[in-house]
Amino acid sequence: MNVGRTSLGISTADRTTLIGSTHRIYAISEKQMMGDGRGNSERIIEAAGQRSKRFIGFDMEAATDRSGSVISAVMLGALAGSGALPFPRETYEQAIKESEIAVSTNLAGFEEGFASAQGAVTLPAQEHVPVPTPTTAKGRELDERARGFLPDAALSNARHGLRRLMDYQDAEYAGLYLDRLQRIAALDRAPYLLTSETARHLALWMSYEDTIRVADLKTRASRIARVRSEVMAQDGQILEVTEFMHPRLREIGETLPAPIGRLLLGDGVAAKMLAPFFRKGRHVRTSSLFWFLILRLIAKLRAIRRSTIRYAEEQERIDRWIALAADLAKTDNAAAVEWIRCQQLIKGYGETFERGLSNFISIRDGFFGLRERDRTASWLAEARAKALEDQEGTALESFLKVA
């Protein structure tokens, strides 16, 4: 993104040598959009090429990983390789050696950058996600069941869904996923787009984000290892991780068994006493023993997730969503596909989740309030696009008023 900004305001087509990485770290403004708010990487690279005399661009993050160095060493190598400055390669290398700081790895990073600057502009390679293979008896049993009724077009999505839901809850929950999916598959026909889309979106909704899930993901050994790798922490170095968290009283109440949750979310004394403690976010050092143990305790509440208010609410919403899709599939397969895709409005947690759910309900009520002949796939597709268009929901509101 900084390459794009630089090409707009600083770089000139007749004189500038522009050097930048083509890997992406998404901005908060991109992440918080209701839909896919990511900037188009290819357009950014195209603009950089048009607005500079020479553009040197490659995946510096990958080059850093390959060399075990830091990105500044790779950038220095790219600068030397560009020939934009009147210094020979040996001058740069001598400066690295005289610093006496991580000389071997910095030289390796420098070499990566220097060599990459001689080639064409490249974008990061697309990551291939292999189809998961079950590793437990329960997993193999569920996989065999899925293969028994699913078309090949939907099997890959379903296998990813099974793995996700076994990780999220347990094998029984993954079995419920197949029950719901089987209902849709029985009504589908070639090319089985409805079944494939249901397999994907159903798994996403059933693994909704609650405080239990968030706590689990933040304290996994794999995440800690990834963070250590990203900051290149050495063996024996102490790593501290501080995160911003803002769980509201609602999220806490929804995580507890229903009777306790209702007590916290009502208008009683308990709710009034606890509410002030959850009005502001806080910075939490999740690498400390105290907060790590707190989060692990919350993650262990997965065992009682089925008894929570949130679980009951989400299962009711999901069942209604699937039932309406099944009814549509009997007469209009394309409309059923678009209805299933409306799930993408529901994501995240807290205010993000509530905003998406509100849009979803508005579309549901608007669509099924139409005369049957007016309930078309194109109506649903346009309504969903309007809901994803802005954070405030004004585009969707205007569309529904006209409709």
Side-chain angles (χ1 to χ4, degrees), residues 202-400:
L202 177 59
L204 290 172
W205 198 339
M206 288 183 67
S207 56
Y208 59 89
E209 292 186 8
D210 56 8
T211 53
I212 299 171
R213 180 66 166 174
V214 172
D216 178 33
L217 294 176
K218 286 188 178 296
T219 53
R220 290 192 176 190
S222 58
R223 180 179 187 262
I224 296 169
R226 186 178 73 250
V227 173
R228 291 191 66 88
S229 174
E230 288 175 353
V231 301
M232 305 185 72
Q234 303 299 312
D235 292 341
Q237 280 190 308
I238 296 175
L239 174 70
E240 290 190 356
V241 180
T242 301
E243 306 188 54
F244 180 77
M245 294 184 178
H246 187 192
R248 300 174 305 167
L249 186 59
R250 167 158 288 279
E251 279 81 65
I252 301 300
E254 290 174 341
T255 304
L256 300 172
I260 303 175
R262 291 192 187 96
L263 185 66
L264 289 182
L265 300 180
D267 297 325
V269 176
K272 293 177 181 178
M273 288 179 60
L274 292 173
F277 295 99
F278 298 95
R279 286 175 183 158
K280 293 183 179 180
R282 64 186 67 190
H283 289 90
V284 174
R285 191 155 60 90
T286 53
S287 54
S288 69
L289 180 61
F290 175 77
W291 280 107
F292 183 85
L293 291 177
I294 291 292
L295 291 176
R296 285 312 304 160
L297 178 62
I298 295 172
K300 292 295 183 182
L301 293 178
R302 179 167 76 170
I304 63 165
R305 182 182 266 137
R306 288 185 175 88
S307 70
T308 64
I309 296 173
R310 180 73 186 277
Y311 182 88
E313 290 176 345
E314 293 306 325
Q315 302 314 309
E316 182 180 352
R317 290 172 185 140
I318 292 169
D319 283 335
R320 185 175 181 184
W321 171 64
I322 291 293
L324 291 172
D327 288 342
L328 281 172
K330 295 172 184 176
T331 57
D332 191 340
N333 189 276
V337 170
E338 294 301 332
W339 170 242
I340 285 295
R341 287 173 174 166
C342 285
Q343 181 278 329
Q344 66 185 259
L345 300 175
I346 301 172
K347 62 180 183 179
Y349 58 96
E351 293 178 359
T352 300
F353 169 80
E354 289 177 359
R355 186 164 55 243
L357 178 62
S358 176
N359 288 340
F360 175 86
I361 292 173
S362 294
I363 291 176
R364 182 193 68 196
D365 293 347
F367 180 74
F368 290 99
L370 296 171
R371 292 174 298 182
E372 190 169 342
R373 67 184 183 185
D374 295 327
R375 298 175 194 168
T376 62
S378 60
W379 191 99
L380 281 169
E382 187 174 357
R384 189 175 67 253
K386 294 295 183 183
L388 297 172
E389 197 170 295
D390 61 75
Q391 293 279 75
E392 295 75 23
T394 53
L396 175 61
E397 186 179 349
S398 299
F399 173 80
L400 293 175

Side-chain angles (χ1 to χ4, degrees), residues 25-339:
I25 297 175
Y26 297 109
I28 296 298
S29 58
E30 293 178 281
K31 295 178 182 178
Q32 68 185 11
M33 296 298 291
M34 290 298 299
D36 186 350
R38 294 174 297 175
N40 188 309
S41 296
E42 293 182 359
R43 289 183 63 187
I44 294 170
I45 299 306
E46 182 183 356
Q50 293 172 347
R51 293 168 178 153
S52 62
K53 185 175 182 180
R54 182 187 178 196
F55 174 52
I56 296 172
F58 58 94
D59 186 347
M60 293 186 184
E61 185 176 57
T64 300
D65 291 340
R66 287 193 300 268
S67 64
S69 183
V70 290
I71 199 167
S72 56
V74 175
M75 293 175 71
L76 183 64
L79 177 61
S82 72
L85 298 179
F87 309 125
R89 173 174 179 165
E90 292 75 20
T91 302
Y92 294 92
E93 292 176 332
Q94 187 61 33
I96 292 173
K97 292 174 184 177
E98 290 182 1
S99 73
E100 298 183 354
I101 299 173
V103 173
S104 60
T105 55
N106 282 338
L107 284 174
F110 177 88
E111 170 59 32
E112 283 278 353
F114 191 95
S116 297
Q118 314 306 311
V121 175
T122 58
L123 288 169
Q126 294 294 319
E127 183 180 359
H128 173 66
V129 181
V131 177
T133 302
T135 57
T136 64
K138 282 287 187 182
R140 287 187 286 272
E141 181 182 327
L142 289 166
D143 186 74
E144 184 177 353
R145 180 187 165 192
R147 286 187 283 112
F149 73 86
L150 282 174
D152 290 343
L155 197 53
S156 176
N157 282 350
R159 281 173 165 162
H160 282 289
L162 286 170
R163 183 181 68 170
R164 183 183 182 97
L165 294 172
M166 288 186 71
D167 176 70
Y168 179 84
Q169 188 62 34
D170 51 32
E172 183 182 345
Y173 196 54
L176 175 60
Y177 166 75
L178 289 182
D179 292 342
R180 288 164 167 162
L181 186 55
Q182 189 166 8
R183 180 179 180 183
I184 297 298
L187 300 168
D188 202 7
R189 58 182 182 273
Y192 302 107
L193 180 61
L194 174 59
T195 306
S196 179
E197 289 293 274
T198 302
R200 181 163 69 98
H201 289 285
L202 177 59
L204 290 172
W205 198 339
M206 288 183 67
S207 56
Y208 59 89
E209 292 186 8
D210 56 8
T211 53
I212 299 171
R213 180 66 166 174
V214 172
D216 178 33
L217 294 176
K218 286 188 178 296
T219 53
R220 290 192 176 190
S222 58
R223 180 179 187 262
I224 296 169
R226 186 178 73 250
V227 173
R228 291 191 66 88
S229 174
E230 288 175 353
V231 301
M232 305 185 72
Q234 303 299 312
D235 292 341
Q237 280 190 308
I238 296 175
L239 174 70
E240 290 190 356
V241 180
T242 301
E243 306 188 54
F244 180 77
M245 294 184 178
H246 187 192
R248 300 174 305 167
L249 186 59
R250 167 158 288 279
E251 279 81 65
I252 301 300
E254 290 174 341
T255 304
L256 300 172
I260 303 175
R262 291 192 187 96
L263 185 66
L264 289 182
L265 300 180
D267 297 325
V269 176
K272 293 177 181 178
M273 288 179 60
L274 292 173
F277 295 99
F278 298 95
R279 286 175 183 158
K280 293 183 179 180
R282 64 186 67 190
H283 289 90
V284 174
R285 191 155 60 90
T286 53
S287 54
S288 69
L289 180 61
F290 175 77
W291 280 107
F292 183 85
L293 291 177
I294 291 292
L295 291 176
R296 285 312 304 160
L297 178 62
I298 295 172
K300 292 295 183 182
L301 293 178
R302 179 167 76 170
I304 63 165
R305 182 182 266 137
R306 288 185 175 88
S307 70
T308 64
I309 296 173
R310 180 73 186 277
Y311 182 88
E313 290 176 345
E314 293 306 325
Q315 302 314 309
E316 182 180 352
R317 290 172 185 140
I318 292 169
D319 283 335
R320 185 175 181 184
W321 171 64
I322 291 293
L324 291 172
D327 288 342
L328 281 172
K330 295 172 184 176
T331 57
D332 191 340
N333 189 276
V337 170
E338 294 301 332
W339 170 242

